[in-house]
Amino acid sequence: MSSTATSLAPKEHVGVLFEQLAELTGQRNAIDGRIVDIVAQMEHDDLAGMTGARSIAALVAWKTAVSPHNAQTIATIAHRIAEFPRCTELLREGHLSLDQVGVIAERAAAGSDEHYAELAAVATVTQLRTAIALAPRPDPDPTPEPERSISKTVGEKYTTWRIRLPRLEAARFDAALASQRDAQITAWRHDHGDDHPGDGDGDGDASDHDEGDSGRTPPFPNTVDAFMGLVDAGWDAEAARRPHGQHTTVVVHLDVAQSLASLHLGPLLSEHDRKYLLCDATCEVWFERHGQVIGSGRATRTISRRLRRALEHRDRCCAVPGCGATRGLHAHHLRHWEDGGPTELDNLILLCPYHHRQHHRGAITITGPADHLVVTDADGIPLDPGSLARAPTQPPPAVTPCPGPTGERADWWWYQPFEPNPPPPSDD
C-alpha cells in the first residue's frame, strides 16, 4: 500500500479506489467487446470448424480459458451482434459490461436494442433480467408439447434426483414402478411370510425398513427398492444387448477380392466410414467373392468391458484438446485393428462422437501412443490444449471510465416494458 493511500481519510481512499476500479472496468468491457467482435467474425466466416472445436462456445472456452458459462455468453452476443448494434457498441466503448449485454442478447426480443441500451446504462444485471421478464411474450401454442426433464443435485451424503414427465409417460412410469414393487413384495412374502405390517405405498422412509428378527430378515420392499429394481433390470437388459461399448452390432459384407465392404442390406462403406464403425463395436463379418457368400466370421467384441473401464478411468473425457465431453464417448484405435493395431490400452483413446467422426473424415489427425498423443488439424498444425493468454504487448484501450449502474432500487410500477411491433396483417 502506498504512503499516499495511507495518508487519505477512509472516505477519500474509497473514492480513489473507485476511480481506479471504474477505469479498469471500462478497459475490461472494451476488451470484452473486441473479443466479441473476433468471435462474431469467426462465426460469420465459419472458421471454427477447422480448429476441431465442437462449437463456437467450446472454442471460446478453450482458447480464452474462461468458464463454459462465460464462453456461452460471449458466443450468444456474437451470434446476435447484428440485432443489438447499440448495445455492443456501448460494450466496445466500455460503458456496458459483458454480463449486461449477455442478458440482453440471451433473452431480449428483436428490435429492443435502443430500449435496453438506455436501460442498461443505469440497471444492474439482475434488474435487466427483471425488465426483460416483464416484456410481453407472444401467445403460447394452445397445445404445447409437454417438457420432460431430469435433474440431479449432489449433497454431502445423498444425491437427489428430480424427474418431470408428461401425464402419459408418468402413468407408464407409475405402472412399471408399481409392478416392480408388487413383484418384490411377492418375493419377500414367499421367503419370509406375509405378516409384515408395512403393506401400504411406502415411499422409502425408515419405517418401511423393519429389520425383523435381529436384522436377519431383509427390509420390506419400498418404493425406492422398486425404483432401483427397475434400474437394475434395465441395466441388465442393456448389458446383455450392448455389453461392451456405445455401438450395436455391425453386420459387414466384405469382398475379399476387391477389399470392399458394405452394410447388410445397405450401401458400400468408404474406408473412413468402415473404420469409424468398427472402432468400438460388435462386428459380424460375412466374406464374399464375386457376390457369393463363401463364409462368415463369428461376432467379435473388439473391446472388452474390463478394458473399457480402464480406458474410462484413464482418459475421463474426450482426448482432443479443448473438448471436455464426458458422455457417449467412443473407444478409438490409434492404429486401427484392420492395420494390425492391438486392442490394448496403449492403442486406445476415448473420443466424443463429433471428434471421432472428424478424425475418420480427415478433419483432424490423431496419432499415438496414448501417453504421447498428438492431435493436429487438417493442415498438420498441432492443437494446443492451452489457452491463448499471454502478457499484453499493447496499451489498454483508451476508453472513458465505467462507473457502473447507479445501484438505485428499481420501481417497477413506473417501468414501461418493451413492446414489440405487432406482426404485419396477413393477406387472407
Side-chain angles (χ1 to χ4, degrees):
M1 183 180 297
S2 64
S3 59
T4 303
T6 56
S7 63
L8 295 175
K11 191 171 183 179
E12 296 176 344
H13 187 199
V14 169
V16 171
L17 294 180
F18 277 178
E19 290 178 2
Q20 297 176 6
L21 191 61
E23 182 179 1
L24 294 175
T25 300
Q27 294 173 354
R28 183 200 63 184
N29 294 343
I31 292 173
D32 287 338
R34 178 57 181 145
I35 292 176
V36 168
D37 288 338
I38 293 173
V39 174
Q41 183 177 353
M42 295 185 68
E43 181 182 21
H44 179 269
D45 297 339
D46 198 18
L47 301 177
M50 65 179 62
T51 66
R54 303 175 63 182
S55 63
I56 289 289
L59 176 62
V60 174
W62 169 21
K63 290 301 184 182
T64 62
V66 299
S67 68
H69 180 270
N70 288 344
Q72 185 61 54
T73 299
I74 295 173
T76 301
I77 300 173
H79 182 68
R80 301 191 69 184
I81 194 170
E83 297 181 53
F84 297 96
R86 180 57 181 159
C87 289
T88 52
E89 180 183 0
L90 291 175
L91 175 63
R92 296 185 204 99
E93 294 175 353
H95 299 303
L96 297 183
S97 71
L98 183 73
D99 287 338
Q100 286 177 302
V101 182
V103 170
I104 297 171
E106 179 183 356
R107 307 182 181 206
S112 60
D113 181 39
E114 291 292 340
H115 177 89
Y116 289 117
E118 181 180 357
L119 177 62
V122 295
T124 64
V125 173
T126 302
Q127 290 170 342
L128 282 173
R129 287 198 180 101
T130 303
I132 294 174
L134 292 175
R137 301 293 180 185
D139 294 334
D141 190 345
T143 56
E145 185 72 18
E147 294 184 0
R148 301 179 298 172
S149 67
I150 181 169
S151 61
K152 180 176 72 171
T153 304
V154 180
E156 183 177 353
K157 295 183 178 180
Y158 296 96
T159 298
T160 302
W161 289 88
R162 295 178 63 88
I163 305 174
R164 183 174 65 184
L165 298 173
R167 290 184 178 180
L168 292 180
E169 295 185 1
R172 290 174 54 197
F173 178 78
D174 291 339
L177 197 63
S179 176
Q180 182 71 22
R181 185 166 187 264
D182 289 344
Q184 291 181 351
I185 291 175
T186 301
W188 191 94
R189 286 175 171 169
H190 178 271
D191 295 335
H192 309 289
D194 55 358
D195 55 350
H196 191 276
D199 197 12
D201 292 331
D203 58 359
D205 57 20
S207 61
D208 283 343
H209 274 182
D210 185 4
E211 295 190 2
D213 300 332
S214 303
R216 291 190 296 269
T217 302
F220 190 77
N222 59 22
T223 306
V224 175
D225 297 322
F227 179 77
M228 295 307 299
L230 286 178
V231 173
D232 292 339
W235 198 347
D236 291 342
E238 181 70 10
R241 187 181 56 175
R242 297 167 62 182
H244 296 296
Q246 302 297 329
H247 294 176
T248 55
T249 300
V250 177
V251 181
V252 177
H253 294 258
L254 180 64
D255 191 317
V256 295
Q258 302 183 27
S259 298
L260 297 176
S262 65
L263 293 177
H264 181 62
L265 301 180
L268 287 173
L269 296 174
S270 67
E271 180 181 1
H272 296 315
D273 289 339
R274 185 182 72 251
K275 291 185 176 182
Y276 169 75
L277 287 174
L278 301 182
C279 260
D280 183 12
T282 298
C283 178
E284 181 179 318
V285 182
W286 291 82
F287 300 101
E288 300 178 356
R289 180 180 287 118
H290 306 304
Q292 300 295 323
V293 176
I294 60 174
S296 64
R298 63 191 180 116
T300 58
R301 294 161 182 163
T302 58
I303 299 175
S304 67
R305 180 179 299 180
R306 179 175 296 180
L307 183 57
R308 184 174 180 87
R309 295 294 181 267
L311 185 61
E312 292 171 346
H313 179 75
R314 185 196 68 190
D315 288 355
R316 302 299 177 96
C317 65
C318 178
V320 174
C323 181
T326 59
R327 298 183 179 181
L329 301 179
H330 297 176
H332 169 71
H333 287 75
L334 293 169
R335 183 185 179 194
H336 203 274
W337 63 272
E338 282 187 354
D339 303 325
T343 305
E344 298 175 353
L345 200 58
D346 289 342
N347 193 47
L348 294 172
I349 58 171
L350 289 179
L351 294 177
C352 67
Y354 173 80
H355 284 122
H356 198 187
R357 289 191 295 269
Q358 289 290 94
H359 169 66
H360 284 291
R361 291 171 181 171
I364 58 176
T365 301
I366 305 175
T367 55
D371 56 349
H372 292 86
L373 201 64
V374 177
V375 184
T376 61
D377 61 15
D379 296 327
I381 301 175
L383 300 182
D384 187 357
S387 71
L388 297 177
R390 56 173 173 78
T393 58
Q394 298 179 357
V399 295
T400 58
C402 175
T406 61
E408 297 179 2
R409 181 178 179 273
D411 192 348
W412 298 113
W413 179 262
W414 301 103
Y415 172 68
Q416 295 293 329
F418 171 74
E419 292 282 352
N421 294 327
S426 60
D427 297 333
D428 297 339

